[in-house]
Amino acid sequence: MAYINTIADFLATLSLVSLLACSHGSAQLSPTFYSSTCPNLQTLVRDAMRQAVNKEARMAASILRLFFHDCFVQGCDASILLDDTATFTGEKNANPNRNSARGFEVIDTIKTRVEAACNNTVSCADILALAARDGVVLLGGATWTVPLGRRDARTASQSAANTQIPSPFASLSTLISMFSAKGLSARDMTALSGGHTIGQARCSTFRTRIYNETNIDPNFAATRRPNCPASGGDTNLAPLDIQTPARFGNDYFQNLVARRGLLHSDQELFNGGSQDALVRTYSGNNAAFSSDFAAAMVRMGNISPLTGTKGEIRKNCRVVN
């Protein structure tokens, strides 16, 4: 942790520079947005995330994934948190989220505590952005300054969730194109993919890779097969990073160089393509990965936020007011 603290100030500065450099609405976000209206916000979120991660380390990855899946659909507006009703179709049952998106109860807990301290003030979208950052830090990753001031959507899009969230079976060109559509560079895409240094994946998302693909270490494939048979066991889990699944670092990229990426989309980053050199850099330089990941998280958090009088501040993150 001493190393992480050494780069914390640098990353905070870097993130602020990135924020100032961004456009299309993100300039309306500010790290000090709630400094007078909810001064204890970050402490409330951090304490709740610490409790959740101490109970289950995987929760940090689940919250990070929620934030990613939220931002790629309509922007970072907490639309992913909305429940389906008889008259409303949300994003939770879209293919990338159904039976896999998790952590909603943690966000509910944080929202309840924040509402008790600062009634009708803080958006669910901002809570999710802060919780994603805190989960990374709690597992040993770098910190960054989170710009705030997002508001919550009154709408959701299951169709956009089905088409705009990258698939675990995607090719490198598709990944680059899908991130580019959100204003994120290929470098951002590779850095953000490093979030797979934590968390787990279901057998159904990597079965084809461990049985049929050739750019995979044969011993690695063999170790994955007992828990992911050729048929059945679709929901069985395996760590995305076989080395340190509960520590945030650059082991993910070391795995790619060794052809031990679990998902097809992971190994695509190191398969004779345009990102090979960057993957090699990250695999040998955790500081480079940490700084790029932090900056990319700020940029992703700036995707089409609702600000000003747009959207609302939800009282309950699962339903519109």
Side-chain angles (χ1 to χ4, degrees), residues 8-27:
D9 292 339
F10 163 72
L11 289 175
T13 303
L14 174 69
S15 298
L16 284 172
V17 169
S18 300
L19 170 64
L20 294 173
C22 288
S23 56
H24 59 274
S26 61

Side-chain angles (χ1 to χ4, degrees), residues 72-131:
F72 263 60
V73 181
Q74 300 188 167
C76 308
D77 61 0
S79 58
I80 195 172
L81 303 180
L82 291 168
D83 284 342
D84 286 5
T85 70
T87 57
F88 182 89
T89 301
E91 297 162 16
K92 290 182 178 179
N93 285 305
N95 290 330
N97 298 326
R98 186 172 58 249
N99 300 322
S100 67
R102 60 195 298 273
F104 300 108
E105 295 81 4
V106 173
I107 300 301
D108 292 340
T109 296
I110 299 173
K111 179 63 172 176
T112 298
R113 295 180 186 181
V114 170
E115 282 295 308
C118 319
N119 181 51
N120 199 33
T121 301
V122 181
S123 68
C124 300
D126 279 342
I127 286 173
L128 184 54
L130 288 168

Side-chain angles (χ1 to χ4, degrees), residues 32-92:
T32 59
F33 188 83
Y34 299 108
S35 59
S36 60
T37 57
C38 195
N40 295 326
L41 170 63
Q42 303 220 22
T43 299
L44 291 168
V45 176
R46 184 168 54 250
D47 288 349
M49 279 300 294
R50 182 179 291 110
Q51 292 172 359
V53 172
N54 284 345
K55 183 178 179 180
E56 181 192 12
R58 182 188 173 202
M59 191 53 68
S62 297
I63 298 296
L64 179 61
R65 184 170 183 257
L66 275 188
F67 184 55
F68 171 68
H69 284 206
D70 182 44
C71 290
F72 263 60
V73 181
Q74 300 188 167
C76 308
D77 61 0
S79 58
I80 195 172
L81 303 180
L82 291 168
D83 284 342
D84 286 5
T85 70
T87 57
F88 182 89
T89 301
E91 297 162 16
K92 290 182 178 179

Side-chain angles (χ1 to χ4, degrees), residues 136-155:
V136 169
V137 173
L138 286 163
L139 292 190
T143 190
W144 60 92
T145 301
V146 178
L148 300 166
R150 301 168 190 80
R151 287 167 65 85
D152 298 324
R154 296 188 180 98
T155 62

